[in-house]
Amino acid sequence: MPRTIKLHPFTILAIAVAVITMTTAANLWWLSCAVMALCLLIAGWAGHLKKLAILSGAMVLPTFLSLLLIHGLISRDQSPAIAQWGPLRVTLKGLEVALSLGLRTAVLVVVGLLCGLLIDRHQLVAAIDLSPVPPQLGYLLAASLFLLPQMAEKQRRIGEAQALRGAGTGNGLAGWFQRVRLRAVPLVLASMQDAQDRAVHLSARGFPASGANTRLRTVPDSPVQRVIRWTAAICAVLGPILIMLLSAMGGN
């Protein structure tokens, strides 16, 4: 069973933003690899290692291949070629650029996906609702987070109903297009009806409310976590600037 991390969602997000910005600014391959390895360890402890590996691999591998193709094979870099096959040239500089950009992208993907796996969506919505931000933002985030799972469930039900009627049961590419066509219209109509129902219910409740409300869900927080969030926010803003200044001084 996946474990839960009893941290405020804002704390996890603040630490993630600080790690991404500082790792990107440092641009050190070993630091990027260390960050990704730490993320995998945390995912393994939390019980999300397989999901994180599959999702990040599906996003990072095509990125690495495209960067390798652009900077490593068809780059117009004039440095000496390591290997050459006709118009394709592999240069050391191109490989370095592709590796640097790929690792920075991989850090962004892995850390972002880990946050998505560790943060409970209900807790995040409740934390935004309890914060001073406008309540419309919390509702917009909640609707966005739960939209895809709800649409997937609706699509599954529509497919089961059509299969019972014998519709959209063809094989091959033509059958796939037929199933998509038959499911698209009911799915769109159901989503529009759901949006209309939500608007009526929100209007009946006077959303957004102007007075104080009683929340049924509370998000645990502590002064230590608030200090961590502020420290992470400061590091996210000032850390990259300090790293670039130190790099410029070292270059001179």
Side-chain angles (χ1 to χ4, degrees):
M1 292 293 293
R3 298 181 180 179
T4 58
I5 296 181
K6 296 181 179 180
L7 289 177
H8 197 281
F10 291 169
T11 303
I12 300 177
L13 289 175
I15 295 174
V17 171
V19 169
I20 291 174
T21 55
M22 296 185 67
T23 305
T24 303
N27 192 21
L28 300 173
W29 67 268
W30 58 267
L31 180 59
S32 300
C33 293
V35 169
M36 288 187 288
L38 180 60
C39 290
L40 292 176
L41 289 176
I42 296 175
W45 174 84
H48 300 295
L49 179 59
K50 183 178 179 180
K51 185 179 294 186
L52 178 63
I54 293 175
L55 293 175
S56 57
M59 300 176 65
V60 170
L61 290 179
T63 303
F64 263 105
L65 291 177
S66 62
L67 291 173
L68 180 63
L69 178 64
I70 295 172
H71 298 282
L73 295 180
I74 60 176
S75 174
R76 296 183 179 180
D77 180 31
Q78 299 302 321
S79 60
I82 302 175
Q84 185 170 358
W85 304 275
L88 301 179
R89 298 174 66 249
V90 179
T91 63
L92 182 60
K93 182 65 176 178
L95 291 178
E96 290 178 354
V97 172
L99 180 62
S100 175
L101 294 176
L103 285 176
R104 282 186 283 183
T105 305
V107 169
L108 174 62
V109 171
V110 174
V111 175
L113 289 175
L114 181 61
C115 284
L117 294 173
L118 294 180
I119 296 176
D120 182 76
R121 294 175 296 177
H122 301 278
Q123 292 290 87
L124 178 59
V125 173
I128 294 178
D129 191 34
L130 293 170
S131 66
V133 300
Q136 292 90 339
L137 179 60
Y139 175 75
L140 180 62
L141 178 63
S144 302
L145 290 175
F146 295 102
L147 178 63
L148 289 179
Q150 290 174 355
M151 292 189 67
E153 179 63 20
K154 290 179 182 178
Q155 189 266 352
R156 184 185 64 82
R157 293 179 181 177
I158 292 172
E160 291 178 351
Q162 291 178 347
L164 291 175
R165 293 194 296 267
T169 57
N171 297 323
L173 187 61
W176 181 80
F177 275 110
Q178 183 185 18
R179 286 190 294 272
V180 171
R181 179 178 59 84
L182 293 176
R183 296 180 187 183
V185 175
L187 184 61
V188 172
L189 292 177
S191 300
M192 293 176 61
Q193 183 63 40
D194 182 63
Q196 182 179 359
D197 294 340
R198 286 174 181 265
V200 173
H201 295 161
L202 289 173
S203 178
R205 289 173 173 81
F207 180 83
S210 57
N213 296 320
T214 301
R215 270 79 175 187
L216 298 179
R217 178 185 291 269
T218 59
V219 183
D221 199 2
S222 63
V224 175
Q225 291 196 60
R226 287 192 286 271
V227 171
I228 293 175
R229 287 200 294 271
W230 278 107
T231 304
I234 294 173
C235 291
V237 175
L238 300 181
I241 299 176
L242 180 61
I243 291 174
M244 289 186 288
L245 289 176
L246 293 176
S247 178
M249 294 173 59
N252 295 332

